[in-house]
Amino acid sequence: MKDLDEIKPQQEGQGFQFPGEFEITAMGNASADLKARVPQILEGIGLHVLHETVRHKHSREGNFLSVTVSFRCDTREQYDAAHAALRADPDIRFTL
């Protein structure tokens, strides 16, 4: 598996460009109030969360919930920190 830093855009102007707005999805236990926790976690590490973009979807059987939110960040390190902070939460299974 390639490290994300090794992936380069095929054409100039494609790919991640910082600063910018990015979308992240966290999936985890439906009973964990992730609709509120995901934005709180991102704000807790200093990111500007675009609250109007928060959306969620339950799994077919209702056991899991995915929460998608957009946020602003200035650097790749902040983007990586967003994924790391969410993955550190015991009720979040993974992020996209």
Side-chain angles (χ1 to χ4, degrees):
M1 180 180 233
K2 285 188 177 182
D3 184 2
L4 290 178
D5 292 328
E6 295 176 18
I7 300 172
K8 303 293 182 207
Q10 292 179 359
Q11 296 178 4
E12 195 63 35
Q14 288 183 328
F16 290 116
Q17 295 182 6
F18 297 93
E21 289 183 9
F22 300 91
E23 187 174 86
I24 194 167
T25 300
M27 298 180 186
N29 298 326
S31 62
D33 192 27
L34 295 180
K35 290 183 286 186
R37 283 173 57 191
V38 169
Q40 288 173 348
I41 291 169
L42 296 175
E43 287 177 331
I45 62 168
L47 297 174
H48 178 80
V49 174
L50 305 172
H51 288 276
E52 67 276 8
T53 67
V54 177
R55 60 187 192 276
H56 66 281
K57 183 177 180 181
H58 287 274
S59 65
R60 181 178 15 221
E61 295 177 12
N63 297 325
F64 298 98
L65 181 74
S66 68
V67 177
T68 302
V69 62
S70 294
F71 62 96
R72 291 191 187 120
C73 66
D74 296 324
T75 65
R76 178 59 185 243
E77 290 75 22
Q78 287 178 318
Y79 177 84
D80 291 339
H83 280 276
L86 291 172
R87 290 178 181 161
D89 187 288
D91 288 311
I92 294 176
R93 303 289 176 119
F94 59 93
T95 62
L96 300 171

